[in-house]
């Protein structure tokens, strides 16, 4: 309780918020991007893969060239994240390098390249992605199915329908989602041997 004649505490004064000009904010972002590009060539592997990953969220075209170079990093940890970031940026310059990356012996790079191609959504990737639907690695097949659904080119429908009999359930689910995105209804049943069979109808 306040004593008589004793003034109470002065009300707290709020400091006015400082709003940066858009040009200042953009310059800070550009500096951050350039810093990440520099880290792509750092000797420390952890710095390189973190930079490869973060550049995708920046979506800055200045990073496209350095990320394409990072597809040839000695470690696949960097390669596949660079492939995904190229897809996130969405620059068409990444198309050919990503197509080439799908031929890598590293499953993670093939998977990352498939995902990146799905983000680019260029129909020229369809044939290569259909080939990846038959890859020996589940992760690659699953990413290829997702990418084909993202591109949504009807040329992929026959290949996707065939992939509904994939032995892996997660791949079949990805294929069904891809076909649904393209307006093709599918029904998966099992034959007498217990293997999945499919029927489909286009809309």
């Amino acid at each position: 309780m306040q004593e008589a004649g004793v003034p109470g505490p002065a009300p707290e004064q709020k400091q006015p918020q400082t709003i940066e000009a858009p040009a200042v904010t953009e310059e800070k972002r550009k500096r951050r991007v350039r810093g990440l590009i520099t880290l792509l060539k750092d000797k420390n592997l952890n710095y390189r893969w973190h930079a490869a990953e973060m550049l995708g969220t920046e979506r800055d075209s200045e990073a496209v060239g350095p990320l394409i170079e990072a597809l040839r990093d000695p470690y696949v940890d960097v390669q596949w994240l660079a492939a995904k970031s190229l897809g996130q940026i969405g620059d068409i310059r990444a198309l050919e390098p990503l197509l080439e990356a799908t031929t890598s012996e590293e499953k993670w790079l093939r998977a990352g390249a498939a995902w990146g191609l799905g983000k680019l959504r260029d129909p020229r990737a369809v044939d290569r992605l259909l080939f990846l639907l038959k890859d020996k690695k589940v992760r690659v097949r699953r990413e290829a199915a997702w990418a084909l659904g993202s591109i949504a080119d009807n040329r992929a429908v026959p290949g996707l329908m065939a992939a509904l009999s994939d032995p892996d359930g997660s791949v079949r689910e990805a294929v069904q989602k891809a076909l649904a995105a393209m307006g093709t209804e599918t029904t998966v049943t099992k034959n007498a041997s217990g293997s999945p069979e499919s029927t489909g109808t286009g809309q």
Side-chain angles (χ1 to χ4, degrees):
M1 183 173 179
Q2 183 176 324
E3 296 181 11
V6 179
E12 185 177 341
Q13 298 293 323
K14 292 185 178 180
Q15 295 296 324
Q17 292 184 341
T18 302
I19 301 176
E20 289 185 342
V24 175
T25 302
E26 178 62 13
E27 179 56 32
K28 286 184 176 180
R29 190 190 68 79
K30 284 288 187 182
R31 285 202 301 268
R32 183 168 64 249
V33 168
R34 287 191 286 268
L36 290 170
I37 289 172
T38 299
L39 288 178
L40 275 180
K41 295 185 177 180
D42 196 273
K43 293 180 180 179
N44 188 303
L45 172 60
N46 287 332
Y47 290 168
R48 296 204 307 278
W49 75 256
H50 274 298
E53 184 176 38
M54 292 176 68
L55 282 168
T57 62
E58 294 291 346
R59 291 179 168 82
D60 193 301
S61 61
E62 186 178 347
V64 172
L67 283 168
I68 289 173
E69 291 181 18
L71 292 174
R72 297 187 292 272
D73 189 275
Y75 291 90
V76 72
D77 312 59
V78 178
Q79 296 169 10
W80 87 288
L81 290 171
K84 294 183 71 174
S85 287
L86 284 167
Q88 286 180 283
I89 294 171
D91 193 301
I92 200 61
R93 287 176 291 169
L95 177 63
E96 291 298 331
L98 287 176
L99 287 171
E100 182 180 350
T102 63
T103 66
S104 171
E105 294 183 0
E106 292 282 357
K107 79 164 185 179
W108 285 105
L109 180 52
R110 296 198 304 276
W115 191 90
L117 289 168
K119 281 292 188 179
L120 285 184
R121 302 185 71 178
D122 192 302
R124 288 173 289 180
V126 167
D127 289 341
R128 188 63 205 170
L129 290 167
L130 285 170
F131 181 81
L132 291 182
L133 271 182
K134 301 177 182 178
D135 196 272
K136 61 185 178 181
K137 297 297 185 181
V138 169
R139 176 68 181 256
V140 178
R141 300 199 303 273
R142 188 167 63 238
E143 297 291 6
W146 172 84
L148 287 166
S150 176
I151 296 171
D153 189 307
N154 285 333
R155 290 176 299 150
V157 170
L160 285 165
M161 292 295 295
L164 282 168
S165 61
D166 192 280
D168 183 84
S170 67
V171 175
R172 294 195 300 272
E173 182 180 358
V175 170
Q176 285 183 297
K177 289 180 178 179
L179 286 167
M182 298 165 68
T184 301
E185 296 179 355
T186 59
T187 302
V188 180
T189 58
K190 291 187 177 181
N191 59 23
S193 66
S195 299
E197 288 184 335
S198 62
T199 58
T201 57
Q203 291 183 339

